[in-house]
Amino acid sequence: MLARPIMRTQRAVLARQVQRLSMSASGPGNSRSLPLVRRAKHLPTNTVVKFVPQQEAWVVERMGRFSRILEPGLAILLPFLDRIAYTQSLKEVAVEIPTQTAITQDNVTLELDGVLYYKVVEPYKAAYGVADAEFSITQLAQTTMRAEIGQMTLDTTLAERNTLNHNIVNAINLASESWGIACLRYEIRDIHPPAKVVEAMHSQVSAERSKRAQILESEGSRQSAINVAEGAKQAQILASEADKAQQINRAMGEAEAIRQTAQAEAQAIERVAQAITQSEGGELAAGLHVAQQYVEAFGKIAKESNTIIVPASANDISGMVAQAMTVFSSVTANQKKQAALKAPKGNEGTGGFGSEQVGH
């Protein structure tokens, strides 16, 4: 009979607290920053024998003072003396953080909302360290998010969400350590800059894209000009290499032709010399041939030029022939003299004979 008045009194106290929190939450200026306060959940009654569900922890008070924490499974309570004061869920809880405004370091007002994931790790601290754990962790997340955004610029806030989430989680864990609550994750869901800022950002993006397009176009033109110049350079190099190879081949051909002509002339002269020295009357035949060429050359000079130099005895053909034979004899005598000088000393008789012929 004593337990029923106590329970009615506790319910009345809880109802007054809920009404007071609801009135404060519905006040002016608090509709966006404070979430609606939920009614206190129904606590299990003491029936001596209780079964604690999995992933839950029940805080038991004995005569108004903390007694123990019931773990999942069978639990025996003393009637009238023990009371289940709090039930804590050990599961991970997701709490929606309402939309709020925050000002960045460069004085841009943002509207943000997010989702907070937390978990009760110490049921005793969660029961006696804070009155409403969910409401407290929500308010702490909002204030921490405002403080963190106030230290960052707009561009940094938009680009480094992960860093911002990590900083908020660390700040919440540092502040909620005495509550027995661990903040697991915090995710910023939406960021809404002002409309004018969004338009400016769009204009900046368009300008940046136009700039990139112009840079790419200029780079393409530059690369095209470089390729054309490189192609012309390679073409000139190849043309010069071809001209060089052509000139080398022509020079080699001309040199080979001269070499072959010289060899042919040398062979012809050698054969003529052999014919002159080894055959009877060879010298006379050679003299006659020289005289004949002399007369033919003189005739060509008379045909090709208007002004010529003629010898004094131009009308004396026999004299001209005799002169040609004299030249041939002098050349032959000089060749024999040089051969005699190159011969060994044992052939002095032959040398004297050659000298006698030259004197003759």
Side-chain angles (χ1 to χ4, degrees):
M1 298 297 293
L2 182 62
R4 291 183 179 179
I6 294 176
M7 293 177 62
R8 284 198 296 269
T9 303
Q10 291 178 349
R11 290 178 181 177
V13 172
L14 290 174
R16 285 195 298 271
Q17 291 180 354
V18 169
Q19 184 178 5
R20 188 182 304 108
L21 291 173
S22 300
M23 292 177 62
S24 62
S26 61
N30 295 330
S31 59
R32 299 184 62 183
S33 59
L34 296 177
L36 296 177
V37 178
R38 298 177 300 176
R39 290 182 176 274
K41 58 185 178 181
H42 179 69
L43 296 175
T45 57
N46 184 356
T47 57
V48 181
V49 178
K50 301 295 292 184
F51 295 95
V52 182
Q54 183 68 30
Q55 289 297 98
E56 285 191 7
W58 291 0
V59 179
V60 178
E61 293 180 353
R62 177 169 295 176
M63 292 183 295
R65 185 177 180 181
F66 171 75
S67 175
R68 66 186 187 276
I69 296 176
L70 301 180
E71 297 181 353
L74 176 63
I76 305 297
L77 303 176
L78 296 178
F80 306 111
L81 298 179
D82 292 341
R83 180 177 68 90
I84 302 174
Y86 302 97
T87 59
Q88 301 291 344
S89 175
L90 304 181
K91 300 177 182 179
E92 183 176 347
V93 181
V95 180
E96 181 180 359
I97 305 301
T99 302
Q100 62 175 342
T101 59
I103 301 176
T104 62
Q105 188 178 11
D106 49 355
N107 297 325
V108 178
T109 303
L110 302 177
E111 293 184 357
L112 307 96
D113 59 359
V115 179
L116 176 67
Y117 300 86
Y118 74 93
K119 181 179 180 181
V120 175
V121 293
E122 296 185 23
Y124 176 81
K125 291 183 178 180
Y128 298 102
V130 61
D132 189 342
E134 183 174 330
F135 176 76
S136 301
I137 200 74
T138 302
Q139 296 301 309
L140 180 59
Q142 288 181 335
T143 55
T144 305
M145 184 166 59
R146 288 194 188 99
E148 291 294 332
I149 290 178
Q151 300 175 3
M152 305 172 66
T153 62
L154 176 61
D155 295 336
T156 306
T157 303
L158 297 176
E160 299 182 1
R161 284 195 181 188
N162 293 332
T163 303
L164 180 60
N165 295 336
H166 182 71
N167 294 339
I168 293 174
V169 169
N170 291 337
I172 292 175
N173 285 331
L174 184 62
S176 62
E177 184 178 1
S178 60
W179 300 346
I181 298 174
C183 179
L184 303 179
R185 294 183 305 278
Y186 183 85
E187 300 292 339
I188 295 177
R189 188 164 54 185
D190 294 320
I191 299 178
H192 301 286
K196 293 184 178 179
V197 175
V198 174
E199 293 178 359
M201 293 171 62
H202 289 169
S203 300
Q204 182 180 2
V205 171
S206 300
E208 186 67 24
R209 290 181 178 177
S210 300
K211 175 184 176 182
R212 292 180 181 177
Q214 293 177 359
I215 292 175
L216 292 176
E217 184 177 359
S218 63
E219 289 291 336
S221 301
R222 174 175 172 271
Q223 191 63 35
S224 176
I226 291 174
N227 293 338
V228 171
E230 190 68 24
K233 175 184 176 182
Q234 292 295 332
Q236 292 180 359
I237 292 174
L238 293 176
S240 62
E241 291 290 338
D243 190 15
K244 175 183 176 182
Q246 183 179 4
Q247 292 179 3
I248 291 174
N249 292 335
R250 184 183 298 110
M252 292 177 63
E254 292 177 355
E256 186 64 24
I258 293 172
R259 189 180 299 109
Q260 295 293 336
T261 303
Q263 290 180 359
E265 290 180 355
Q267 291 177 1
I269 292 172
E270 183 179 359
R271 290 182 180 181
V272 170
Q274 290 178 359
I276 292 173
T277 57
Q278 295 178 2
S279 61
E280 295 181 0
E283 295 182 359
L284 296 176
L288 179 60
H289 183 66
V290 170
Q292 184 180 358
Q293 289 183 347
Y294 180 81
V295 173
E296 289 178 358
F298 186 75
K300 289 181 180 180
I301 292 175
K303 290 180 180 180
E304 295 176 358
S305 178
N306 294 330
T307 302
I308 60 175
I309 300 175
V310 296
S313 59
N315 55 351
D316 188 3
I317 300 300
S318 60
M320 294 174 60
V321 173
Q323 185 178 359
M325 291 298 295
T326 303
V327 172
F328 175 75
S329 298
S330 299
V331 173
T332 303
N334 290 330
Q335 290 180 352
K336 290 181 179 181
K337 184 178 180 180
Q338 291 178 0
L341 293 175
K342 293 180 180 180
K345 295 182 179 180
N347 295 334
E348 292 180 354
T350 306
F353 179 77
S355 301
E356 185 179 356
Q357 284 185 350
V358 173
H360 177 72

